[in-house]
Amino acid sequence: MSAAEPRVLFVSSEIFPMAKTGGLGDVAASLPVALAHSGVDIRLMMPAYPSTFEHVRGLAVDRHFDDVAGFGDIDLLGGRTPSDLRIWLVVCRRLYDRPGGPYHDEYGNQWPDNLERFALLCQAAGRLAADGGDWSPNVVHANDFHAALIPSLLNGRASDVKTLLTIHNALYQGEATREQLRSFGVPSQRLERFGSGKLSFLSLGVQQAGLLNAVSPTYAKELQTPEYGCGLEDLFAARARDLSGILNGVDYELWDPGHDPHLAHAYSDRNLAGKASCKAALLEEMHLDTSLSAPLIGIVSRLTWQKGLDLVIRSAEHLLTAGARIVVLGVGEKSLAHGFRDLADRHPDRVGARLEHDEALAHRIIAGADIFAMPSRFEPCGLSQLYSLRYGTVPVVSAVGGLADSVVDAGERGIAEGATTGFAFTELTPQAFLAAARKAIGLYPNRALWQALQRNGMRQDFGWDRSAQSYRELYGRLLST
Ligand code: ADP
Ligand code: GLC
C-alpha cells in the first residue's frame, strides 16, 4: 500500500513577513512555498501578533475552539500570506496583542509569559489536528521549542496524525515544571515516562516527535555531543536513527542582487559593477569615509553569545589597522550593542553601527560589504552566509554547523579551481578570527583573484529544491509507518 499524500500543518512562532527576528522567520516563509510548489498540501499556523494583520489577506474567523486547556475559548483566523499560502492566526488578545516582538518587549526583556504564549500555539495546533473540519492535517511540522509540545499533546488524542520536529536552535528549550506542563494539557503519563532529564517543551518534543531533523547535516551530528547538545545530547543520540540533517535553502526571489528591490544598483556574477555602486551608497548611508579601496566588513546579526561577535569587537582595532571598515546591523544583548556603539563612536568614519531591526538595510549591507563576518560559536545553519555568497560578499566564518556545510575554504589555490568560496577558522578565539579576516583583507587588493572568489560564491546554488525534496521524504517516511 502506498503512503497517503501529506497534508501538512506547518507551525512556527515567526514567519516572514508577518513576523521575523532571525532565520527561522525566513525558513518558515520560504520552505512551505517550495513544498507547495512541489505539490505538497501545506498550511501554516502562527500566533496573531499585531504585526501579522497587515500582511495576511482575507482574514476571517475560520475555527472556534471551546475551553482550550487553561486558555478558555479561542478563535483561529484563516487567511492567505503574501505568497498565497493558507495560514491560521491563533487569536488571544491577552497573550499576543501587545507591542514588541515575538519573544521580547520593546526594551529587549523576555516576555514573562512566553511558556504560556507558545503552549497556546501548540494547543491550537493540537485542536486543529483533532478537529476534523473541512481540512485537517495528517502531518504536523513543528518548528523549534515554541511548537515542540505538539507531539505530546497529539499522541493519544489524534494518534493517526504524525509529527516532524525541526530543530533550528537547541539553545532555546522552553524549560517548564511538571505542573506547568500538566496545566498546558500534557498528559501525566507522558511526563512520568520522561524520566529524570531536564523538562522542557523541546526535550519532550525530542522524545515524542515521530521524526526529527536539524537544519544542517553537521548540526544534526553536533546535537549529539555535550559541546553542542545544550544538555539534550543523550536524548538526541537516543534518537539518532530518526534525526536527519537538512540544510536550509534560500529564496532567491527575495535574495538575489540581480533583482533585489532594496538595492539602488543591480548586479550579477557576470557584471559586478553594480556592487561597487552598492558599496558607495552604503558607505554614504552609514556616514563612513567613502574610499572604495578599503575592504568593508559587514555584519547583520542577532546580537547574542551564539554569534561570537565579541571576537569581532575584541579584534576590531586590528581590523581597522589592517585597513578595513566595519558596518554592523543588529539587535540583542546590551554588552554587544555597547561594544559596537563604542567602536562607532571612537571611529565614526570607519565603523558604522545601526542597533535596530531593518530588513531593507540588511539587504543593502549584504550587497554593499566586501566581506561578511560570522564567527559563530555554534550555527545550526545560518542564512546570512548563504545570502552573502549570492551577493559576492565573501564570508569569513567559524567552521561549525551549517557554516561548515556551506562555506568552502580550500585556500588561495582553490580559488582558481572554483572550490574556495570563503575563509573559515576553527578555534573560537579573537586571534583565530583575526587571522582568517586578515587573509581576506590581504587578498582583497588582488582584484582578479578576489573577483574569482566572489564568482565562486555567487555561482553556488542553495535554492530550496533539494532540501524541500528531503522534507517530502521525511513526510513520506512518517506516513508509511
Ligand atoms: P539566526 O536565525 O540565528 O538569527 P540566520 O543567519 O539563520 O541566523 O538568519 C538571520 C536572518 O535575520 C537573516 O535574514 C538576517 O538578514 C536577519 N537579521 C538579523 N538581524 C537583523 C537585523 N538587525 N535587521 C534585519 N535583519 C536581520
Ligand atoms: C536558527 C539558527 C540559524 C538557522 C535558523 C533557521 O535561528 O540560529 O542558524 O539558520 O534558525 O533555521
Side-chain angles (χ1 to χ4, degrees):
M1 199 183 75
S2 66
E5 287 297 316
R7 292 188 310 278
V8 181
L9 178 67
F10 187 95
V11 185
S12 179
S13 58
E14 49 182 278
I15 305 175
F16 179 80
M18 282 69 71
K20 164 176 167 178
T21 67
L24 173 61
D26 285 351
V27 171
S30 55
L31 169 59
V33 170
L35 287 165
H37 282 167
S38 74
V40 176
D41 181 0
I42 186 163
R43 301 187 184 194
L44 313 179
M45 180 183 276
M46 70 183 296
Y49 312 120
S51 63
T52 57
F53 293 101
E54 64 179 293
H55 299 289
V56 181
R57 278 181 291 121
L59 275 175
V61 176
D62 187 66
R63 309 266 173 124
H64 175 87
F65 300 131
D66 288 331
D67 203 18
V68 174
F71 300 100
D73 294 1
I74 57 160
D75 284 330
L76 298 188
L77 296 177
R80 287 191 179 266
T81 68
S83 311
D84 211 28
L85 295 186
R86 312 267 307 234
I87 186 168
W88 281 288
L89 303 179
V90 181
V91 180
C92 178
R93 294 188 63 177
R94 176 172 70 86
L95 293 176
Y96 302 138
D97 187 11
R98 46 177 88 159
Y103 320 114
H104 301 97
D105 67 17
E106 302 114 294
Y107 310 103
N109 305 307
Q110 289 236 7
W111 296 117
D113 52 359
N114 268 344
L115 289 183
E116 246 190 288
R117 298 171 74 241
F118 296 117
L120 174 58
L121 176 65
C122 297
Q123 279 280 356
R127 287 292 284 264
L128 184 87
D131 183 50
D134 64 346
W135 185 92
S136 62
N138 53 14
V139 173
V140 178
H141 185 160
N143 291 277
D144 266 356
F145 96 78
H146 324 98
L149 274 193
I150 296 170
S152 307
L153 299 176
L154 275 182
N155 291 349
R157 182 166 348 129
S159 51
D160 50 338
V161 180
K162 312 291 182 183
T163 52
L164 169 66
L165 174 61
T166 298
I167 316 288
H168 299 262
N169 197 325
L171 184 63
Y172 307 104
Q173 301 182 357
E175 283 177 50
T177 63
R178 252 162 232 272
E179 290 63 44
Q180 283 173 314
L181 291 164
R182 231 176 258 128
S183 75
F184 296 148
V186 177
S188 296
Q189 67 274 27
R190 309 239 161 270
L191 294 168
E192 273 146 32
R193 219 179 296 156
F194 184 77
S196 59
K198 199 166 57 165
L199 261 179
S200 65
F201 284 33
L202 192 64
S203 61
L204 279 174
V206 171
Q207 274 204 335
Q208 303 274 329
L211 286 174
L212 307 165
N213 83 287
V215 288
S216 69
T218 296
Y219 192 52
K221 293 196 200 98
E222 288 172 343
L223 282 173
Q224 301 173 51
T225 68
E227 201 182 347
Y228 298 100
C230 302
L232 304 185
E233 54 275 9
D234 293 341
L235 286 183
F236 283 118
R239 300 218 51 196
R241 288 197 327 173
D242 297 330
L243 168 62
S244 52
I246 304 176
L247 196 72
N248 285 333
V250 173
D251 180 350
Y252 288 126
E253 293 289 317
L254 293 179
W255 290 95
D256 188 296
H259 53 251
D260 185 333
H262 300 298
L263 307 185
H265 309 274
Y267 62 92
S268 69
D269 61 328
R270 286 183 303 282
N271 181 3
L272 281 162
K275 184 165 173 71
S277 309
C278 289
K279 178 176 177 180
L282 177 64
L283 290 170
E284 205 172 295
E285 178 177 1
M286 303 295 283
H287 308 296
L288 299 186
D289 154 27
T290 52
S291 85
L292 285 179
S293 59
L296 179 62
I297 300 176
I299 294 168
V300 179
S301 183
R302 291 184 295 117
L303 304 181
T304 66
W305 174 85
Q306 170 190 347
K307 301 293 178 180
L309 296 170
D310 47 312
L311 307 189
V312 179
I313 293 172
R314 282 159 69 188
S315 37
E317 296 293 341
H318 298 289
L319 295 171
L320 297 177
T321 306
R325 309 280 187 265
I326 303 173
V327 290
V328 183
L329 171 65
V331 267
E333 286 167 19
K334 292 191 177 63
S335 61
L336 293 167
H338 284 156
F340 284 119
R341 166 64 53 227
D342 183 49
L343 272 172
D345 287 346
R346 276 189 289 125
H347 305 283
D349 54 341
R350 291 187 289 165
V351 179
R354 291 276 285 273
L355 304 170
E356 60 200 3
H357 193 94
D358 184 335
E359 187 69 27
L361 182 57
H363 286 246
R364 293 198 293 273
I365 291 178
I366 288 175
D370 300 299
I371 295 166
F372 194 84
M374 216 162 153
S376 306
R377 293 200 162 80
F378 72 95
E379 196 59 74
C381 178
L383 294 170
S384 296
Q385 85 283 8
L386 302 180
Y387 302 153
S388 298
L389 286 169
R390 179 50 63 106
Y391 283 70
T393 305
V394 176
V396 174
V397 302
S398 50
V400 294
L403 298 174
D405 291 341
S406 58
V407 176
V408 179
D409 184 348
E412 220 172 292
R413 279 217 305 219
I415 296 177
E417 293 156 9
T420 301
T421 57
F423 299 87
F425 63 97
T426 44
E427 229 182 292
L428 282 159
T429 61
Q431 294 76 13
F433 165 67
L434 187 60
R438 274 196 175 126
K439 276 194 213 161
I441 294 168
L443 193 75
Y444 181 73
N446 184 336
R447 301 314 296 160
L449 216 49
W450 187 262
Q451 288 192 358
L453 178 58
Q454 288 179 297
R455 292 199 167 98
N456 289 348
M458 296 176 88
R459 288 172 185 161
Q460 301 297 309
D461 181 4
F462 290 102
W464 268 112
D465 286 358
R466 205 175 330 147
S467 298
Q469 167 64 20
S470 304
Y471 279 101
R472 281 205 307 276
E473 282 163 20
L474 292 188
Y475 300 154
R477 229 174 108 188
L478 283 168
L479 291 170
S480 63
T481 53

